[in-house]
Structures are given as C-alpha cells and as structure tokens.
Amino acid sequence: LVSSEQSRATADFTVLSSRHGRARRQLRNISKRDLKAAIKYGKREPARPDRRTGKPRWKFVHNGLVYITDETMRNEITSFQKAVTIDSKHLTVEMINHHIEVKRILREERHLCTGHTFIVIDQSGSMRNPDVNGFVSRSHAAYGTLALDFISEQLDSNPNKYGLFAESVSVIEMKDTAKVVLQMEPFDWILFDRLCRRPNTTRPSFHGNYNESLKCVESMIFDEYTKLAEDGVEHKDMPTFSIVFLSDGRPSDCTRADTEQRTTLLQNLTQLLSSKLLFYAMGVGANGADFGVLSSMVKIVNENGGEGQFVHAGLSAVALSSTFSDISNTLTTHRTTLLSSTKGANNLPTDNAAGKTKKDFTMRETGKIVGKTMPVETYIHGKEYTIKRFRFENKGAQRFS
C-alpha cells in the first residue's frame, strides 16, 4: 500500500528555503524539486540536533542527495550530494613485495622504466568548491577520478595479474608554490590507494601559480633524463615522459614576465624530449571559465615537436572520468604499439621490425626495448616472475651481475 504522504505529487511538498540553503543548492546544482523528491521518496532518519538550541533535525537521503531539515520537515537547513565511495584495493604480500622490487628498479635500474608520468593537480582555494556531483569538492573529484579512471583502468587492462608496470608516477600539488606529494612511485595498486586517501589529508588554499609547478616538473624530468643519458641510454630509447596538468581556472601568475617564463619552460622541455613528451591539459570549471592559458600551453608543446591536448571537463564527474579514461587509453595505446611493433613469434624481436629491433635490441616482459647485442642475465624474484636486466655504462652496455 502507498501511504497518503507518498501518494501526493512531488510538487505538492512544501520546502521553505533559508538563505544558506538556497546558496548551497545553487553552488551544488541541486534544484528545489530534488529536495521535494527527497522528502517524498527518500530514506528519513534523525540528523544531528541543532548545536545552538539542541532542537532535533531530520535527514533525507535519496538518489545520492542528502537533505537536512528542521524538526517540522518543512524548513531547509542544508543539502549536499552524497560523496562517491571508492573502495581501497586489498593488497597481498606479493603485491607489496613487487612494489618494493619495482621501486628498487626505478632507483637502481632506471633504464628499465618504460614511462614517467607527472600529474599536476590544482589545489588552490577554489578547488574546495563542492560543485561536482558525487564528490565533496573539486579536489576530491580530481583525485577520485584520477585513481579510478587513470590508475585503476590501466592496471585492470594489464595482463600481469599483479597489475604492475615498470613505470613511475609523480604527483605535484599546485598552490602558491609546488609541493611534491608522490615522487617516482611505481604504477600499481599501492599508488591507487594513496591517491584515494590524499584528498582527505590535503586542504586546497591560496593561489594557483602554474610556473612553480612547471619548474618542479622540469627539474625532475631533466634530472631523470640526465641520469639516463649518463648511463648510456640514447634519446630514441628514452622512456615516454607524460605530463597531466589539471586546473580549474587561469593562473595567478599571469603577468607578461610570467607568460614569457612559462613559454620558455615548455619550449625547453619539448625541445629536449620532442616526441617523447605527452602533455595533457585539463580544465575543471563551469562553462565560461578562462582556460586560455592552458590552451596556449598545449599549443607551445605541439609547435615544438611534442604531443599536446587540451580538454575542458567542466564540472561533471562523468566528463572528468571520461577525460582521464581517454588519457589512460592513449598511454595504453603507446604501450601496446611498442609491444606489438617489435615482437614476432614467441615474443622475440623480428628481423623486419622497426628500427630498434633491426639494431638487435632485446625485448623484456614489460615491453621496453633496452640494450644492444649483449648477454642477457635473467633472475627470479621469488617464484612469480622474471626480469631481464642490463646495466648501461659509459663504455657500453654490460651484463648485470
């Protein structure tokens, strides 16, 4: 049987909005009809009493919407979208052991790395805005979709049952200055868990200066590139360096001198890496937000031989998710192309494959081609997987011992 209350039309329910409630709804894209539907169809339970008067309040939950009223259930107190819950990954002992081993490889055998990704996430004050449906704030949305649709999607598509690549990820938070929160971390489920937890420990604040973050990324890339070159790795055998730059508006450092410095930073990076540089700029903000600087950064990268792309993801969690998914697919395509273009039967290099194979390079399991004609040393880690490694020295590549 349908109760008399539920049989009434949704429009018949009365919602008396407070000024605070109206502001919150406008900010969070919640209509008054949404609130009426929450009263009519939602689950009702006692909310926390008023802190000043002690009077009771009610909470209605319906279709991801949480609506708080006074004791009469007629006066609106506040409303918000219930946050998406992202479950952490159950980590096995094997995963942890592999994480430790890959981290050692990234530190000591860096020529085995297939790619480095540097993710710059805007954490200026505006990233606190709670206007992305399904997330507490823009910051939570950025980290949540990054973990789900960039990290998890690539790990799930990896045939390796432990979801490991010989790749690294660094995360830089952009405020007045740049803060490196994760540096050269293995691309694995431990990274996924850390990204899921990060928005609960960081607080967006102050301004968002693009150049400080770009200088930070440039420094890390130049350092890694220099070490690889010193180890004997030629440019054509360098890993891919990917930059994902996410912001919700124009930079705070926007003087003419700042613009010239930003141009020089991007030109230097692109001229060094050329086709090894992938640059993705993501705009997170309402229609009409100024993303001209992000677009111009992409243009500079493309004009200097890199590969750049700008996407305006708006304030939709779906659009954010789709954008990170597209970037994930692009990187997966690069990885798959590298594998398929150089392997023949039994995963061995073919005589008529691309240039690297013609020079008698050796394929390893993760897909990166390293080394010239040389002995191969294979070792076993536990009982689960093997890695073929080489050490590059100035006088040439030598077998690892």
Side-chain angles (χ1 to χ4, degrees):
L1 295 177
V2 180
S3 68
S4 59
E5 185 177 77
Q6 286 190 328
S7 65
R8 293 163 56 195
T10 301
D12 292 341
F13 284 79
T14 301
V15 173
L16 302 178
S17 298
S18 64
R19 180 180 298 177
H20 168 82
R22 286 193 299 272
R24 285 291 188 187
R25 283 194 285 108
Q26 182 179 9
L27 189 62
R28 295 164 179 174
N29 296 320
I30 299 172
S31 70
K32 203 165 184 178
R33 185 175 180 83
D34 292 332
L35 302 186
K36 294 179 178 181
I39 294 176
K40 181 177 181 181
Y41 301 110
K43 176 184 176 183
R44 184 180 69 185
E45 59 186 59
R48 292 182 180 178
D50 188 308
R51 286 180 295 179
R52 292 175 300 173
T53 65
K55 290 184 177 180
R57 289 177 172 179
W58 289 100
K59 178 169 73 172
F60 295 85
V61 181
H62 178 64
N63 283 344
L65 172 66
V66 179
Y67 174 38
I68 308 297
T69 73
D70 67 359
E71 59 184 322
T72 68
M73 292 181 282
R74 290 168 55 86
N75 293 297
E76 174 187 6
I77 303 299
T78 190
S79 58
F80 53 91
Q81 295 286 348
K82 190 175 182 180
V84 172
T85 300
I86 302 176
D87 295 329
S88 60
K89 182 74 173 181
H90 173 69
L91 301 177
T92 64
V93 173
E94 289 84 359
M95 288 180 182
I96 295 172
N97 286 339
H98 288 173
H99 173 86
I100 294 171
E101 176 60 14
V102 173
K103 194 158 187 173
R104 186 203 63 75
I105 290 172
L106 293 173
R107 182 178 64 252
E108 299 176 7
E109 305 287 333
R110 50 178 30 95
H111 59 278
L112 293 176
C113 184
T114 61
H116 299 284
T117 300
F118 301 85
I119 303 171
V120 178
I121 298 183
D122 191 345
Q123 288 293 283
S124 60
S126 57
M127 290 294 285
R128 291 199 306 268
N129 290 346
D131 48 8
V132 180
N133 287 343
F135 290 94
V136 174
S137 66
R138 294 181 183 179
S139 176
H140 282 77
Y143 271 108
T145 53
L146 169 64
L148 283 175
D149 299 288
F150 184 75
I151 304 299
S152 176
E153 182 162 316
Q154 293 190 70
L155 293 177
D156 285 335
S157 66
N158 183 21
N160 183 333
K161 65 179 180 178
Y162 295 108
L164 294 175
F165 302 125
E167 300 181 10
S168 80
V169 174
S170 300
V171 177
I172 300 93
E173 290 184 345
M174 178 176 67
K175 297 184 181 180
D176 284 337
T177 59
K179 179 179 181 180
V180 179
V181 294
L182 293 171
Q183 184 168 3
M184 303 290 285
E185 288 295 317
F187 201 119
D188 59 17
W189 290 111
I190 293 177
L191 172 65
F192 170 85
D193 281 355
R194 289 177 175 172
L195 291 175
C196 289
R197 294 195 301 267
R198 179 60 189 171
N200 297 322
T201 58
T202 185
R203 179 174 174 77
S205 56
F206 305 112
H207 301 291
N209 291 325
Y210 282 19
N211 289 7
E212 291 300 312
S213 295
L214 282 175
K215 285 190 287 186
C216 181
V217 171
E218 180 194 51
S219 176
M220 287 191 287
I221 289 178
F222 274 33
D223 180 64
E224 184 65 18
Y225 189 97
T226 300
K227 289 177 180 177
L228 285 167
E230 290 174 349
D231 285 345
V233 181
E234 299 178 11
H235 178 81
K236 62 182 179 297
D237 301 316
M238 289 287 178
T240 298
F241 292 86
S242 304
I243 302 174
V244 179
F245 201 101
L246 184 151
S247 177
D248 69 348
R250 66 195 300 267
S252 299
D253 48 346
C254 53
T255 65
R256 182 175 180 178
D258 292 327
T259 301
E260 292 175 351
Q261 182 186 51
R262 194 156 40 243
T263 299
T264 300
L265 287 168
L266 290 169
Q267 286 176 337
N268 290 342
L269 267 176
T270 312
Q271 289 167 5
L272 173 71
L273 301 175
S274 59
S275 62
K276 296 291 183 179
L277 175 63
L278 305 178
F279 186 88
Y280 304 95
M282 292 178 59
V284 182
N287 293 331
D290 186 356
F291 294 117
V293 175
L294 279 180
S295 297
S296 67
M297 290 163 64
V298 169
K299 184 178 180 181
I300 293 169
V301 170
N302 287 329
E303 289 176 346
N304 287 274
E307 182 179 329
Q309 180 181 356
F310 168 72
V311 177
H312 180 197
L315 290 172
S316 165
V318 174
L320 263 176
S321 172
S322 176
T323 301
F324 271 123
S325 182
D326 289 343
I327 296 174
S328 169
N329 290 335
T330 300
L331 293 181
T332 300
T333 300
H334 276 266
R335 188 182 301 115
T336 303
T337 302
L338 181 60
L339 281 165
S340 61
S341 65
T342 54
K343 290 197 296 185
N346 300 319
N347 287 338
L348 295 176
T350 59
D351 292 336
N352 59 351
K356 291 181 179 179
T357 305
K358 289 181 180 179
K359 294 183 180 181
D360 209 13
F361 283 68
T362 304
M363 174 65 64
R364 66 183 174 84
E365 284 190 314
T366 51
K368 175 68 176 174
I369 302 173
V370 295
K372 298 181 180 179
T373 304
M374 66 186 78
V376 177
E377 180 76 13
T378 301
Y379 79 103
I380 306 294
H381 179 86
K383 298 181 179 179
E384 300 295 339
Y385 67 100
T386 62
I387 294 180
K388 295 179 180 180
R389 302 183 294 172
F390 306 95
R391 172 165 287 145
F392 286 79
E393 299 184 3
N394 292 334
K395 59 183 180 180
Q398 295 184 345
R399 184 173 65 180
F400 174 82
S401 58

